[in-house]
Structure formats: C-alpha cells, structure tokens
Amino acid sequence: MEQHCHKPRIFSGIQPTGNLHLGNYLGALTQWIENQYRYDSIFSIVDLHALASQDSHLAVPIVEKVRQTAALLIASGLDPERSALFVQSHISAHAELAWILNCLTPVGWLERMTQYKAKAAQVEAATAGLLDYPVLQAADILLYQTDRVPVGEDQKQHIELTVDLAQRFNRLFGAIFVVPKPLIRPSGARIMGLDDPSVKMSKSLAEKRKGHVIGLADPPDVIRGSILQAVTDSGSETRFEQASPGVKNLLTIFEALSGNPRPAVESRFEGKGYRYLKNEVANLVIAVLTPIRVRYLQLVNDTAYLDRVLGYGADKVRPVAVSTLEEVKRRIGIEAPCSG
Ligand code: TYM
C-alpha cells in the first residue's frame, strides 16, 4: 500500500449545497486554502453525504450543485493545480470502505452523535443514511491515510469516531490506517446564525429563514442587509467574554476575517455602539467576499473547465483510494494476498 513519506496529508469534505456560507468559509475553507501548500491536500465534494439530507436533491439536481460548489471553492482560493479536488461518488472505494467499516461500528456509537440526534429530531423518520453518515465520513478520511482533517468545530465528534474506527480496525487486523487528527481554528470554527445566535449558521436553516446566513455569492446589498438586521441586544458591551451571543458572533466574524488580535478588536469597537460594529463587519465581509463572487460568476458557467478539474482530481487520488481498499480487503480476508 502507498504510504506517503513526504509532506503530511490533509483531507476534508464539503457537501454540495450550492451557495456555501460564511460558516463554511471561516470554519473550513480558510484552513484548506491556508494549508494547501504546506500539506499534500485532498478535498472532496461529498455528494453521497448530501443524499442523507432529504430535501437536498429536490429543486436543483445534485450534479449542478456540485459544479457550483467547485466554482465557489476555486473562487475562494483553492488551487486545483496544488490540491486534488474531486467528487466523492466518482470513486466507488468510498462506499465500499464505508460498508466494511459499518460492520465494525456499534450502532450505539452512531446514535450518540449529536449531529445525528439534531437532524433526526427534525424529520418524521430518520433514514439509515442519516445514522450512517459519520461512517462514510470516516471512510473518506481513512482511504487517503490522512494526517489532519481541517473542519469546523461541529465536526469534532465525527473525527473522534473516525479515530475510534481506525484504532479498532488497526487493532483487529494490523496497522493499516493512519490515525488522523482534526485541525480546528482557534476562532471562527463555529459561526452562529445572524438571526438566532443560539444555533450555528447552517444551510438547512438558510432555506427557511431570511437573514440567517451570509452566502459566499451573495451580493453586497444582501450581505449588508443581513448584518444590519443581525440579532444583538440593547446594551453596549463589546468585550468577547462579556458580550451577548449575537454581538460575540459579529466580533468573532471580524476577528477571524481581519486576523487582528482579540484585544485590538475589542478596543476598536469599545463605546462605539452596535450600529458602528455592524457596519464595520459588513464592510469587511463585503471586501472579502466581493472578489470571490466576481470570480465565481466567471467560473460557474464554465462547465467544461469545472468538469475537467474534477476529473483530474479524481484521477490523481484514485490510486491511493484503491490501494488502501485493496489492502483492507486482503486483511479482512475477502481478497487473495499479493503473490510475490
Ligand atoms: P458540511 O458541508 O456540512 O460543512 C463543511 C465544513 O464547514 C464547516 N461548517 C462550519 N464552520 C463554522 N461555523 C459554521 N456555522 C459551520 N457550518 C459548517 C463544517 O464543520 C465543515 O468543516 N460532514 C462534513 C462533510 C464531510 C467531511 C468528510 C469533512 C464528509 N466527509 C471527511 C471532513 C472529512 C460536513 O460537515 O460538511
């Protein structure tokens, strides 16, 4: 099996939701982009995971959203020459390894996942796919012998499950999998909804509530409108630890996007009022997202280019996935050992 002995490897995935949001950008994409030259980088648009959210494939076919997502990732700074970007369903090893890992996963581990519990509570009948979502995620990560997984804070528990599965497999069948670690940024790893700072910013709520998310391709006036309407409070506190959740969320967005140290952010807004804070946050978000939007609009209709990038990415990583899967099959005894 191919073991990478040069740069350490990062792998991460994102669901093809079309218009990604500021939470995806800060929690995940900034880390993908910053680390892509330092690590051997592999990123996947996880269309099989998207099937687990029941409403995700109704209005726009998933394949269209995959292209929109690829265009947004590239527009945000992902360099497809350096990082491999591919579509999960193009490499069947993901589904195959997921099945094998399923057979080692106690159902109780999956029923304990907070994301499963939250999502299952929102639907009439949770599917096996929803319960099994983290096992497919573990397969994604383990197929590529991943060292670090750059994600937002909400994915920490899924990475812990991946670690448990890798260790269980290695113990039972001999060391095969690299045991990965999460890569989570200290600030900005959990961006909350603008309309309700008690819940994380999420695509599913965006569809139901106006002003909940900031989409990466939103026009400037929409971004400003959502930020000016963000829930704050009637006070004037601008210190992170003392501020109400809505104000803290705005301060965090500013801190994470500006890269300024926390005390500098606090003193910048001290005594200025929330209207000023909101306008400054809006200015910064618009300044960061406008070039992304411009580039996105240039790319999104270039289907041939996007399909080429995704095809190239899949071709680049397929040998790694296939070789890991073959080794797994040999170890568990469903494929003959290599001769010679
Ligand atoms: P997805 O598409 O739901 O989220 C993609 C990434 O965005 C992060 N994120 C956030 N970060 C900060 N604040 C938020 N409000 C926020 N909302 C989302 C997520 O943490 C994630 O990093 N299950 C994964 C997809 C996946 C994956 C993988 C990730 C499938 N296989 C393998 C890593 C490795 C997910 O949450 O996608």
Side-chain angles (χ1 to χ4, degrees):
M1 179 186 45
E2 178 176 344
Q3 285 288 355
H4 52 289
C5 43
H6 305 295
K7 284 185 189 173
R9 178 169 289 151
I10 52 174
F11 176 95
S12 198
I14 191 154
Q15 296 192 60
T17 48
N19 193 1
L20 308 178
H21 57 68
L22 191 67
N24 299 134
Y25 181 75
L26 284 174
L29 300 197
T30 52
Q31 295 208 91
W32 298 13
I33 290 156
E34 280 162 22
N35 286 304
Q36 66 184 333
Y37 297 103
R38 236 183 325 136
Y39 288 86
D40 177 18
S41 306
I42 306 179
F43 303 115
S44 183
I45 300 176
V46 292
D47 53 350
L48 297 176
H49 276 110
L51 294 174
S53 323
Q54 291 180 338
D55 48 359
S56 64
H57 41 105
L58 295 181
V60 183
I62 292 186
V63 63
E64 286 303 320
K65 293 194 191 175
V66 164
R67 291 196 186 104
Q68 290 166 4
T69 303
L72 267 176
L73 294 174
I74 297 166
S76 301
L78 191 143
D79 177 355
E81 306 269 322
R82 294 300 296 261
S83 303
L85 177 65
F86 74 99
V87 183
Q88 184 187 37
S89 67
H90 293 182
I91 298 187
S92 56
H94 289 249
E96 263 192 90
L97 181 60
W99 177 257
I100 293 169
L101 295 177
N102 270 335
C103 298
L104 292 180
T105 311
V107 172
W109 288 10
L110 302 179
E111 285 170 337
R112 276 201 293 277
M113 294 291 113
T114 51
Q115 193 160 309
Y116 168 72
K117 287 196 275 190
K119 293 208 166 163
Q122 290 165 17
V123 291
E124 227 170 88
T127 63
L130 197 61
L131 181 66
D132 203 33
Y133 181 111
V135 179
L136 180 58
Q137 181 163 351
D140 297 341
I141 296 167
L142 298 179
L143 268 181
Y144 298 99
Q145 307 293 3
T146 304
D147 297 288
R148 302 298 296 263
V149 189
V151 282
E153 204 175 273
D154 61 338
Q155 294 304 302
K156 205 168 155 211
Q157 200 185 29
H158 288 173
I159 312 300
E160 284 162 7
L161 182 98
T162 305
V163 167
D164 290 343
L165 281 173
Q167 287 172 337
R168 175 174 272 222
F169 197 99
N170 287 349
R171 206 171 45 245
L172 291 171
F173 300 104
I176 292 187
F177 294 127
V178 169
V179 179
K181 290 194 180 72
L183 192 60
I184 297 176
R185 46 183 295 164
S187 167
R190 188 175 179 81
I191 300 298
M192 311 309 282
L194 293 177
D195 64 328
D196 177 1
S198 70
V199 295
K200 77 169 180 182
M201 185 178 278
S202 81
K203 170 74 183 170
S204 52
L205 287 176
E207 279 152 15
K208 296 177 200 129
R209 302 186 192 168
K210 205 167 156 279
H212 173 77
V213 300
I214 296 171
L216 296 192
D218 282 354
D221 55 322
V222 172
I223 296 176
R224 190 173 300 279
S226 305
I227 294 176
L228 290 179
Q229 278 166 32
V231 168
T232 50
D233 60 84
S234 54
S236 59
E237 181 60 65
T238 53
R239 285 167 298 170
F240 278 80
E241 291 319 317
Q242 284 80 4
S244 63
V247 175
K248 187 172 179 189
N249 195 35
L250 292 173
L251 291 167
T252 302
I253 292 171
F254 192 92
E255 180 191 28
L257 283 179
S258 67
N260 291 343
R262 191 162 274 206
V265 176
E266 290 177 333
S267 58
R268 179 182 179 134
F269 294 115
E270 196 186 337
K272 299 264 178 55
Y274 293 151
R275 178 88 191 170
Y276 177 80
L277 169 68
K278 285 178 171 181
N279 264 314
E280 288 296 286
V281 172
N283 291 342
L284 181 58
V285 172
I286 290 167
V288 172
L289 296 191
T290 297
I292 295 178
R293 174 179 150 79
V294 169
R295 181 128 178 76
Y296 169 73
L297 293 174
Q298 287 163 351
L299 284 172
V300 70
N301 293 319
D302 195 346
T303 309
Y305 168 72
L306 296 170
D307 289 353
R308 204 163 54 240
V309 164
L310 295 170
Y312 171 76
D315 289 345
K316 201 161 142 192
V317 301
R318 190 175 286 108
V320 185
V322 167
S323 120
T324 306
L325 183 65
E326 277 174 3
E327 182 63 17
V328 165
K329 285 178 169 179
R330 267 182 230 119
R331 297 286 181 101
I332 62 175
I334 59 173
E335 200 163 279
C338 290
S339 56

